[in-house]
Structure formats: C-alpha cells, structure tokens
Amino acid sequence: WKGRFAECRGGEIVPEDPDKRHYVGFPAMNGICAHLLEHDNIDVVLRTRACARYEPSESGRPWALTAHGDGRYLGEFDWLISGDRLSGTNNRADLRDANLLDFKAKVEPIASVPILVLMVAFEKPIKGLPYDGVKFDEKDGEFGALGWIARDTSKPGRNRDDGKECWVIQSGAKAAHDVIASIEEEDFETRRELVREKAKELLMNDFLSAIRKLANDDEAESTPQILSAVGHRWSAAFPLVSPSGDTYSNQGKDCLVDRDKNFVACGDYLGKLTGRIEGAYLSGRAAASVIINAIRNQ
Ligand SMILES: Cc1cc2nc3c(=O)[nH]c(=O)nc-3n(C[C@H](O)[C@H](O)[C@H](O)COP(=O)(O)OP(=O)(O)OC[C@H]3O[C@@H](n4cnc5c(N)ncnc54)[C@H](O)[C@@H]3O)c2cc1C
C-alpha cells in the first residue's frame, strides 16, 4: 500500500518515514486467505459455522462436523483446528460437544477489546488532506474518538473509476467502550442498531473536524458531499492478552494442542504478536507444523 502515512503524537501530526512498508490484502482483505486456500487438495465450505463432536472409534476419524443452524452433516475428519477463540466460549455451540474442557477453560477468560468503525463514501476525493492513513492516540484528546483513519480508495485493488472516494474511520478502544456502555437498551437488535447509529454520529463528527485540522488551509472547507455512511461495532476486535502476563497471559505459546484428541487451536490471541495478522499467521503456521509432524511420525 503505497500511501502517505502519519501518526499523531501528543497532539502533533508526525509524517511517517516514506520508506516504511505497509501491506494490505489484495483486492480485499480476504484475498490473503483465498490465496492460501487455493489448492487442489483443499475443499472450502464457506458461510458455514461448523459444530464439532468428538467421537473416537478404532477405525474412523474422530471429529464429526455439522453446520450450525440447519444441522447439515459436513463430514468426519482426522484433525480439528480451531481458528477462533470465541468458538470455545460458553455461549457458542461450536465446541459444546467436543469434550475440550482444557481448551475452553483457557479461552473463556480472555477479554475482548471492542472498537467502532465508520465506513464513509464521498462524492469526490478529499483533496486537501495530505495523508492516506493517520494513526491517533485517543489519550491526546485532540482528535476525539479517532484511533485510525484510512483512505480506503488509496489501497491497492480499491481504486474507483467513478470519481468517488471511500474512507474507513476506526475509534480508539476507550471511545468504543464508552459508547457501548452508554446504551442501556436491553433488546439485542435495538441495542446493536443504537450502537451503530451512535458510532456513525461520533466518528463522522470527529473525522470531519480532523479533516479541517489536517487539511491544507485553502482546501479545508471543501469537504465533498457524503453519499453513504455506515457505522459498525466490532465486539471482539482485539483480544486482551499479554505474552508477558500483565493481563490474561498466553505464556507466549504459538498454538494450543491436545494431541490425544487430534485438536489444535491457533489465532491472534496466541504467540507474541497478539491482535495482529502477523501473530495470527505465525500461530497458524505453528498449528500446521504440529499436524505435519504428527502425520510424519505416524
Ligand atoms: C477493524 C479492525 C481492524 C484491524 N486492523 C488491523 C491491521 O491494520 N493490522 C493487523 O495486523 N491487524 C488488524 N486487525 C486485527 C486482525 O484482523 C486480527 O488480528 C486477525 O484477523 C486475527 O486472525 P485470526 O485468524 O486469529 O482470527 P479471525 O480473523 O477472527 O478468523 C477466525 C475465522 O474463523 C471463523 N470461524 C469462527 N468459528 C467458526 C466455526 N465454528 N466454523 C467455521 N468458521 C469459524 C470466523 O468466521 C473467522 O473468519 C484489525 C481488526 C479489526 C477488527
């Protein structure tokens, strides 16, 4: 992603070293996974939440999977790989019949950090803003709830030929927490809608004032017309885990293994780079190594 980046430190905008590299999935974030899965020996079943049952037998494969919702039978498998810690939490059925008490006990206490996101489309580019991505620290107070803003249209594969421009605005963790805590509605759907509306309003206001502060003076007032804006809440955006142990600790383990049951768990809550794609990737590699070694040693 050949953009122009900056970081807000102590209220000051500091342009980033232009040689620092930035990577994004192409043409969209899921391009990374789609690429890895494109293989003759891999069958992919999309839009299906699998529920696993552990049924060891002398001849058969121990893991039987069905689809959540319609209960469709998905097949029997030698190994089960869990790529999402939320699968192991008590309010999810994914691993309820999997007899994985140790794993569930490890992931249940991991807290999640929520964040709010706004996606906004403008009629034409915001010309006066000299950056494509700016990172903020909400503790500064200078830019309100903002945590990160990105000119999505500047990323590879997202350029548009209709002249419109899309931005993604992300909140800091505290702002997200405050917004979510301020909504008292009990009905789940209504509550979710209210959070989305509030996220949209808050992030839009803070983004528009940030444009005025960050843009070149002569172009600051010319914010283009907004065509569409959608607020979103990521309830479990980042895991609150620390390899060093000051919050819930994963003890730096790259993956969790139950060798007796042919089960392995990976994800961004493991390893040393928690809450990041790099950490998730390294954890996935470690899980793959466990399985490859087990098969080689059979
Ligand atoms: C708004 C936002 C912005 C971010 N920006 C960055 C960034 O700029 N850089 C960065 O490094 N990281 C970023 N992250 C963090 C990054 O997205 C995560 O660290 C990474 O996606 C974690 O990968 P994962 O494989 O552990 O889990 P996930 O990406 O959550 O993947 C788990 C997958 O498992 C699927 N799944 C769960 N249960 C089941 C089931 N029972 N059956 C089938 N499938 C199931 C889920 O649907 C999901 O697709 C961001 C996160 C958010 C929310």
Side-chain angles (χ1 to χ4, degrees):
W1 178 14
K2 291 187 170 60
R4 300 155 296 167
F5 299 94
E7 189 172 341
C8 179
R9 289 190 214 135
E12 291 289 307
I13 295 292
V14 183
E16 201 180 88
D17 176 354
D19 290 334
K20 185 174 172 189
R21 290 174 181 223
H22 291 257
Y23 294 95
V24 290
F26 173 87
M29 281 313 289
N30 66 3
I32 301 170
C33 296
H35 172 73
L36 291 169
L37 290 169
E38 205 174 296
H39 190 285
D40 283 347
N41 294 339
I42 298 179
D43 287 331
V44 183
V45 180
L46 296 172
R47 302 205 169 274
T48 305
R49 187 192 288 177
C51 293
R53 177 183 286 277
Y54 182 64
E55 291 176 334
S57 69
E58 275 185 22
S59 53
R61 296 165 161 168
W63 289 106
L65 299 190
T66 49
H68 183 69
D70 62 8
R72 195 165 19 105
Y73 179 68
L74 299 171
E76 286 175 356
F77 299 87
D78 296 307
W79 280 80
L80 181 69
I81 305 167
S82 166
D84 187 345
R85 73 195 156 86
L86 299 175
S87 283
T89 52
N90 288 332
N91 58 349
R92 288 263 291 258
D94 309 14
L95 299 179
R96 209 166 275 159
D97 299 320
N99 191 13
L100 291 167
L101 297 181
D102 277 1
F103 170 67
K104 285 167 75 79
K106 283 194 175 92
V107 294
E108 182 69 43
I110 302 175
S112 297
V113 180
I115 56 161
L116 307 173
V117 178
L118 167 71
M119 289 153 285
V120 54
F122 292 97
E123 187 191 16
K124 53 186 183 182
I126 303 176
K127 284 209 178 107
L129 193 52
Y131 305 109
D132 300 307
V134 185
K135 196 174 161 200
F136 301 92
D137 184 348
E138 61 182 335
K139 288 190 207 99
D140 289 343
E142 184 74 19
F143 291 91
L146 300 184
W148 162 250
I149 61 173
R151 196 188 306 257
D152 205 57
T153 315
S154 73
K155 295 175 187 168
R158 282 82 158 177
N159 53 315
R160 308 179 60 106
D161 48 22
D162 60 3
K164 294 170 187 152
E165 186 170 87
C166 299
W167 283 77
V168 178
I169 320 299
Q170 217 171 283
S171 78
K174 183 179 178 306
H177 174 270
D178 291 350
V179 165
I180 293 164
S182 73
I183 310 273
E184 286 173 358
E185 170 66 43
E186 281 184 11
D187 175 65
F188 178 78
E189 290 297 331
T190 318
R191 190 177 152 78
R192 185 163 65 177
E193 210 36 56
L194 289 171
V195 171
R196 282 181 182 163
E197 278 308 307
K198 210 157 176 184
K200 182 166 106 177
E201 189 188 320
L202 175 71
L203 292 174
M204 184 67 88
N205 276 339
D206 288 349
F207 179 50
L208 293 179
S209 31
I211 295 174
R212 287 190 283 274
K213 287 181 194 163
L214 297 171
N216 302 327
D217 286 345
D218 51 341
E219 290 175 281
E221 297 306 320
S222 57
T223 305
Q225 191 194 339
I226 295 165
L227 299 178
S228 163
V230 181
H232 182 74
R233 167 177 94 166
W234 285 91
S235 306
F238 302 101
L240 198 59
V241 185
S242 156
S244 58
D246 46 335
T247 59
Y248 176 81
S249 173
N250 64 31
Q251 296 164 341
K253 282 193 185 126
D254 287 328
C255 62
L256 300 172
V257 186
D258 185 334
R259 189 62 194 85
D260 292 339
K261 294 200 179 75
N262 282 10
F263 171 78
V264 58
C266 52
D268 70 345
Y269 62 100
L270 289 158
K272 296 189 179 70
L273 300 168
T274 56
R276 290 166 52 181
I277 290 173
E278 192 178 350
Y281 175 77
L282 292 173
S283 175
R285 274 187 71 108
S289 296
V290 167
I291 299 176
I292 290 167
N293 287 335
I295 291 170
R296 280 193 184 137
N297 293 333
Q298 263 172 7

